[in-house]
Amino acid sequence: MSTEDVNQDKKLEKADLTEVIKQLKVDPKTGLSAAEVSKRREKYGANELTTKEKSFASQILHAFMGPISYMIELAAIVSAIIGHWDDFIIILVLLLFNVTIEVWQNHKASSALAALKKGLAPQAIVLRDGKFQNIPARELVPGDVIKIRLGMVVPADVRLIDGEYASIDQAALTGESLPVTKKVGDGAYSGSIVKQGEMLGVVIATGSNTFFGRTAKLVASAGSVGHAQKAMFQIGNFLIVVAVILAAIMVACQVYRDIVVTDTWGLKSALNILEFVLVLLVASIPVAMPTVFSVTLALGAVNLSKQKAIVSKLSSIEEMAGIDILCSDKTGTLTKNQLTLGKATLINAADDQNCIFTGALASQRENHDAIDDAIIAAVKNPADLHKWHVDKFIPFDPVTKRTETHAHNDQGEVLYASKGAPQVIIDLAKPSAAETAKIQQAVADLANHGYRALAVAKSTDQGKTWQVLGILSMFDPPRDDSKKTIKNALDNKINVKMITGDDTAIAIETARQLGMGTKILNAADVFPENFDPDHVPERIVNIIEEADGFARVFPEHKYAIVKALQQKGHIVAMTGDGVNDAPALKQADCGTAVQGATEAARSAAALILTAPGLSVITTAIKEARKIFKRITAYTIYRVALTMTIMFLVVLSSIIFKFQPLTAVAIVMMSLLDDLPIMSIAYDNTAVGTKPMRWRMSHVLTTSTIMGIFSVIQSMLILSVGYGLANHHDTFGWLDMVNQSQLQTIMFIQIVSAGCLMLFVCRAEKWFFERPFPAKILLLATCSTQIITILMCFFGWLVPAISLETIAFVWGYNIIWMFIMNIIKLTIDRHLNKD
């Protein structure tokens, strides 16, 4: 459909009903003809959501892209070319594992649109060629005249053209806490549910051009690149640059040596250089980093599930740690989503119960109307209601705006009871000027506090005269834990903004009761009509950032609010439960579906709460900050270790013409150092009191400096070992007779130094201070170090060396552990000062 047609649909939402009929060229009495339907279907298409989805093949192809993936793939290719099949298999297995995880996450994310499609009506009752008929809803076209009635899902966007009224629940679409009463001329949205009444409507929009469809389009376009993914790209690019520079230096030196110095250049020399490049490539790749990230986050997700928070997108855990703004829905999240009676304003009633009891008589229990249920529940002696026999009940309709009950009891007394809009009850009872002024003042006061006002009147002379008993106030009370949760969020430097489809006054009063900011703006006053939610003007972005919340919001408003805050550099969490929340939930850095959310909201969300209220998300944020600290510590350690291996290989080949590590040894080092690190998810970590995010300059600076000193540490022992290999008689107690044993020494030196460096990186101060490492982390690292020692002593995969030599290497590394801790404390002090 063209943009002109879409804009036309939006105009029909507000145009005069006569103009709507004229524009759609339809006779409301006969509907469209079969021939006209055929023409319109060809023009507008089917009444269903159409989305472009990536093929499974393209998803797999995309998973093989990215700096670290390219490095792993290149290493696999080079190892295959020179016939190092053991290297090739190990590298390939790790690559496929990482790809599998990413494809699975993409599959989970695509389920949001599928859930939205389930919300569309499967059938419709349509008037065509003068006859009503049941058809699949997908066959509707603009201009069709349809019938909506109790229990139906509205199959398309319509303007109501005939009938008394219809009560329609559109909370999942607009966020309004109560069903909305519709009359002729009003609109009804596709996907909303008819709770009462029956009406005819003319279809003004179908498929992706409905209010529901526009929400689905936002869901399809929503989504931000995770900060962890950006960090991985930056780390990958950094290591690629370092590897390329080192490879160029190494190749240049080797070629110069073979051509100019020794004049031995040939195929063998070229293959030797290629083998050196392979070793450097493998050294430059933190092959297990994506896996460790994923497994660490997965273990964190298991831990969060114990806190009643189900993680559907692993990267959201990392995002939670950096959240500084939480956009929260009101109804059902901050409030209980159940109407409650407040204190009554008495006019002629003897007491509150007298007014409430009469209001309950004017209600109908079997309808399960939210207002009726709240009033009936407030009656202290429900048995007294059964003493009255209802002769007639007149339900609420948008014209009379009140209900009325005719009842009698066993004593022969007759009582007429009515409840409804205060102005309507005033017109019915015609109270004195003083009473009228009191009623109007009470209504005004309640409105200022966001309460709903309901007047109650009775008649004892069969409706000849009426008496106003009082004004009942109704509100959706805050949850018991909401105020404490908000304070907890503020104490942790998280700003909470209320985003609700409810009335502005209601939102302000709820915010006041919860201790939140009360600068709640009406979305219609801030966002111009037909604005582009993807390109919000800077002026409006500033308003969004400064406001405490928004009321009367539509899905595009919520989406625009989240995206605008992200553009300002904020990491945003969004909570919600309805279809109207789905675009914002998917766009947010951490979309959170609250308990009882629709399937569309749960599918779009990264975090699903299974306990009511917001207290769970604040608990989850604290847990996420711990996990983030662990991942940051691991990243610093792993980049520093990777740089150590790269520089060691290059410097050794240039200075000593010696390859200190084989490709298999490097991969084994990665596994021995990284496999136990997966238990870092259980490590003891202090909870941060501020949002935490990737400070890549800090991470890379710390990693680089620690990597440089680690290179010095390794080069010193390599230099000593290289000398010892040539003067064995002088240092015979080390039991090293050849250079292959020196490779074993360098293998255990780097594995053990990496283990000790991890304990330095995880500590905020000294490695021996609290919080101590978790038992499982200690057990895992000790186990791998014992395996390494056994490998080196018994000669598994590497030449054997003596226990004396192993003890010497460990003693040397422990001394350096204190040196590295001093270096890290110095780096942190200077970087944190900046």
Side-chain angles (χ1 to χ4, degrees):
M1 180 182 283
S2 68
T3 304
E4 183 179 347
D5 290 326
V6 174
N7 292 334
Q8 182 66 23
D9 293 337
K10 290 185 177 181
K11 289 178 182 177
L12 293 177
E13 292 178 11
K14 297 181 179 180
D16 180 76
L17 198 54
T18 306
E19 182 63 24
V20 171
I21 301 296
K22 182 180 176 182
Q23 288 283 339
L24 292 172
K25 300 177 182 176
V26 60
D27 183 349
K29 294 181 180 179
T30 60
L32 298 174
S33 66
E36 183 62 25
V37 167
S38 179
K39 289 180 186 177
R40 297 192 184 193
R41 187 173 296 118
E42 188 175 335
K43 178 180 180 182
Y44 295 102
N47 178 35
E48 60 187 4
L49 300 183
T50 55
T51 56
K52 293 181 180 178
E53 297 182 5
K54 284 185 177 180
S55 65
F56 185 67
S58 65
Q59 290 182 33
I60 293 178
L61 185 62
H62 184 267
F64 281 96
M65 298 178 179
I68 291 181
S69 294
Y70 292 148
M71 294 164 73
I72 296 174
E73 290 154 17
L74 184 58
I77 292 170
V78 172
S79 48
I81 291 173
I82 63 177
H84 284 205
W85 298 109
D86 47 359
D87 300 349
F88 175 81
I89 292 170
I90 293 173
I91 294 169
L92 189 63
V93 168
L94 286 168
L95 177 63
L96 292 176
F97 183 81
N98 296 334
V99 167
T100 302
I101 289 176
E102 183 172 340
V103 170
W104 171 249
Q105 288 300 314
N106 288 337
H107 170 72
K108 293 277 290 180
S110 66
S111 61
L113 286 175
L116 275 172
K117 291 180 180 180
K118 291 180 182 178
L120 293 175
Q123 294 289 317
I125 303 173
V126 64
L127 177 65
R128 287 181 179 166
D129 292 318
K131 296 179 181 179
F132 280 104
Q133 51 188 293
N134 283 303
I135 65 167
R138 69 182 304 276
E139 295 180 7
L140 289 176
V141 296
D144 264 329
V145 176
I146 63 171
K147 181 184 291 186
I148 60 171
R149 60 189 181 193
L150 176 67
M152 284 185 62
V153 176
V154 179
D157 281 4
V158 301
R159 289 288 299 277
L160 301 173
I161 58 174
D162 190 36
E164 291 187 8
Y165 80 102
S167 178
I168 296 180
D169 183 356
Q170 54 191 37
L173 295 171
T174 63
E176 294 162 291
S177 54
L178 289 174
V180 180
T181 301
K182 305 282 188 178
K183 57 185 185 297
V184 171
D186 291 338
Y189 297 128
S190 171
S192 56
I193 303 169
V194 182
K195 292 294 188 180
Q196 293 180 25
E198 181 177 307
M199 296 189 76
L200 292 182
V202 61
V203 175
I204 61 171
T206 57
S208 296
N209 298 305
T210 61
F211 183 94
F212 192 97
R214 294 197 295 272
T215 301
K217 281 183 181 178
L218 285 177
V219 169
S221 64
S224 56
V225 178
H227 293 83
Q229 189 176 348
K230 292 177 183 177
M232 290 284 284
F233 266 74
Q234 288 177 288
I235 292 168
N237 290 333
F238 173 76
L239 294 177
I240 285 175
V241 170
V242 174
V244 168
I245 292 172
L246 291 176
I249 294 172
M250 186 176 71
V251 169
C253 290
Q254 190 67 33
V255 170
Y256 175 79
R257 185 179 294 146
D258 289 345
I259 295 178
V260 178
V261 178
T262 62
D263 194 22
T264 57
W265 179 258
L267 180 61
K268 184 178 179 181
S269 298
L271 288 176
N272 286 337
I273 290 176
L274 191 58
E275 188 171 358
F276 269 113
V277 171
L278 168 63
V279 173
L280 183 61
L281 268 176
V282 176
S284 68
I285 304 168
V287 283
M289 180 176 276
T291 306
V292 171
F293 266 44
S294 298
V295 173
T296 303
L297 292 174
L299 291 173
V302 171
N303 204 23
L304 285 176
S305 68
K306 299 174 184 177
Q307 309 290 336
K308 305 294 184 182
I310 306 301
V311 178
S312 64
K313 183 181 177 186
L314 285 180
S315 62
S316 67
I317 297 176
E318 180 268 335
E319 305 291 359
M320 271 190 282
I323 290 167
D324 61 335
I325 290 182
L326 171 59
C327 295
S328 175
D329 186 28
K330 178 187 73 70
T331 306
T333 304
L334 296 174
T335 65
K336 295 180 178 180
N337 193 22
Q338 66 184 56
L339 282 179
T340 303
L341 287 185
K343 184 173 176 57
T345 302
L346 303 181
I347 306 299
N348 289 298
D351 53 37
D352 282 11
Q353 274 299 304
N354 179 223
C355 185
I356 292 169
F357 184 85
T358 306
L361 274 180
S363 304
Q364 194 171 42
R365 185 185 298 273
E366 50 268 33
N367 280 350
H368 291 294
D369 177 81
I371 294 175
D372 288 2
D373 287 348
I375 297 173
I376 293 171
V379 176
K380 283 187 178 178
N381 299 308
D384 291 345
L385 289 172
H386 299 300
K387 296 177 182 178
W388 291 87
H389 309 289
V390 176
D391 302 313
K392 183 180 181 181
F393 177 76
I394 303 172
F396 177 91
D397 71 62
V399 178
T400 63
K401 295 184 179 178
R402 68 183 181 92
T403 64
E404 185 176 324
T405 295
H406 301 169
H408 71 276
N409 61 16
D410 294 337
Q411 285 72 42
E413 295 176 321
V414 175
L415 178 65
Y416 283 15
S418 183
K419 72 178 192 311
Q423 190 56 50
V424 169
I425 298 299
I426 287 174
D427 293 340
L428 174 70
K430 298 179 174 55
S432 66
E435 289 179 346
T436 299
K438 186 177 180 180
I439 294 169
Q440 291 173 338
Q441 183 60 48
V443 172
D445 291 342
L446 291 173
N448 289 334
H449 287 86
Y451 290 178
R452 303 175 191 275
L454 197 69
V456 178
K458 74 172 184 178
S459 171
T460 55
D461 56 5
Q462 298 184 339
K464 295 186 177 88
T465 60
W466 290 83
Q467 185 182 48
V468 180
L469 296 181
I471 305 296
L472 298 178
S473 63
M474 311 193 76
F475 66 104
D476 180 10
R479 290 182 48 79
D480 299 332
D481 60 346
S482 289
K483 188 169 186 177
K484 181 180 178 182
T485 301
I486 297 297
K487 184 180 184 303
N488 194 3
L490 295 173
D491 289 344
N492 282 278
K493 306 298 185 292
I494 300 172
N495 184 19
V496 184
K497 295 179 184 286
M498 183 187 296
I499 313 293
T500 178
D502 239 331
D503 187 71
T504 308
I506 295 174
I508 291 173
E509 176 60 17
T510 303
R512 186 191 64 78
Q513 292 182 25
L514 293 175
M516 299 171 63
T518 55
K519 189 179 178 182
I520 310 288
L521 307 178
N522 189 321
D525 297 335
V526 176
F527 296 94
E529 193 173 348
N530 297 328
F531 78 103
D532 182 358
D534 285 309
H535 301 91
V536 179
E538 185 68 21
R539 177 185 63 83
I540 296 179
V541 171
N542 293 332
I543 293 174
I544 292 171
E545 189 176 34
E546 293 170 6
D548 294 318
F550 292 86
R552 291 292 180 189
V553 294
F554 287 131
E556 56 265 34
H557 296 143
K558 294 186 178 187
Y559 172 85
I561 289 167
V562 170
K563 194 158 188 176
L565 291 171
Q566 289 172 328
Q567 288 170 358
K568 277 287 192 177
H570 297 286
I571 297 181
V572 184
M574 172 78 197
T575 69
D577 61 356
V579 174
N580 62 319
D581 298 311
L585 289 174
K586 191 179 175 194
Q587 177 62 35
D589 298 292
C590 181
T592 305
V594 298
Q595 187 190 45
T598 62
E599 186 176 351
R602 291 196 303 270
S603 297
L607 188 70
I608 302 168
L609 306 186
T610 59
L614 272 187
S615 58
V616 181
I617 195 173
T618 55
T619 303
I621 287 172
K622 288 181 181 179
E623 188 64 31
R625 289 180 181 179
K626 291 181 183 180
I627 295 168
F628 186 84
K629 271 191 175 182
R630 296 163 191 158
I631 289 178
T632 306
Y634 165 77
T635 303
I636 292 172
Y637 142 79
R638 198 64 191 80
V639 174
L641 186 61
T642 301
M643 291 184 65
T644 303
I645 298 170
M646 282 196 294
F647 276 90
L648 178 66
V649 169
V650 173
L651 292 175
S652 177
S653 66
I654 293 174
I655 297 172
F656 300 113
K657 304 176 186 176
F658 170 67
Q659 185 175 323
L661 299 165
T662 64
V664 172
I666 292 171
V667 174
M668 286 302 299
M669 270 190 273
S670 295
L671 296 176
L672 288 168
D673 275 327
D674 282 336
L675 285 177
I677 306 308
M678 294 175 188
S679 63
I680 202 169
Y682 299 107
D683 194 19
N684 300 320
T685 314
V687 180
T689 57
K690 294 187 294 185
M692 305 174 69
R693 58 178 66 189
W694 286 100
R695 297 162 59 195
M696 289 311 300
S697 59
H698 190 144
V699 169
L700 294 179
T701 300
T702 304
S703 300
T704 301
I705 295 174
M706 292 189 72
I708 290 170
F709 279 92
S710 183
V711 170
I712 294 172
Q713 175 186 356
S714 296
M715 283 300 296
L716 284 175
I717 200 170
L718 175 63
S719 301
V720 172
Y722 192 78
L724 293 179
N726 297 319
H727 302 85
H728 176 67
D729 294 338
T730 307
F731 298 94
W733 60 273
L734 280 177
D735 192 28
M736 186 178 69
V737 297
N738 55 49
Q739 291 186 352
S740 63
Q741 287 182 315
L742 179 55
Q743 288 181 322
T744 304
I745 289 176
M746 297 313 301
F747 171 72
I748 190 171
Q749 187 274 322
I750 293 179
V751 172
S752 58
C755 165
L756 298 177
M757 191 197 301
L758 172 66
F759 291 116
V760 171
C761 290
R762 68 168 290 280
E764 291 188 353
K765 294 182 181 179
W766 284 97
F767 64 86
F768 48 77
E769 292 183 335
R770 292 181 183 275
F772 299 133
K775 289 181 181 179
I776 188 172
L777 178 60
L778 279 174
L779 180 63
T781 50
C782 288
S783 298
T784 55
Q785 294 309 306
I786 290 171
I787 291 171
T788 305
I789 290 171
L790 293 175
M791 285 177 61
C792 296
F793 180 69
F794 289 108
W796 300 338
L797 300 178
V798 293
I801 56 176
S802 68
L803 279 176
E804 290 85 356
T805 305
I806 292 171
F808 170 78
V809 172
W810 263 95
Y812 175 79
N813 282 340
I814 289 172
I815 294 171
W816 266 93
M817 186 180 187
F818 285 88
I819 297 171
M820 295 297 283
N821 208 146
I822 293 170
I823 292 166
K824 182 175 181 293
L825 288 173
T826 305
I827 296 168
D828 287 344
R829 184 166 61 249
H830 283 284
L831 291 179
N832 290 333
K833 188 186 299 181
D834 294 338

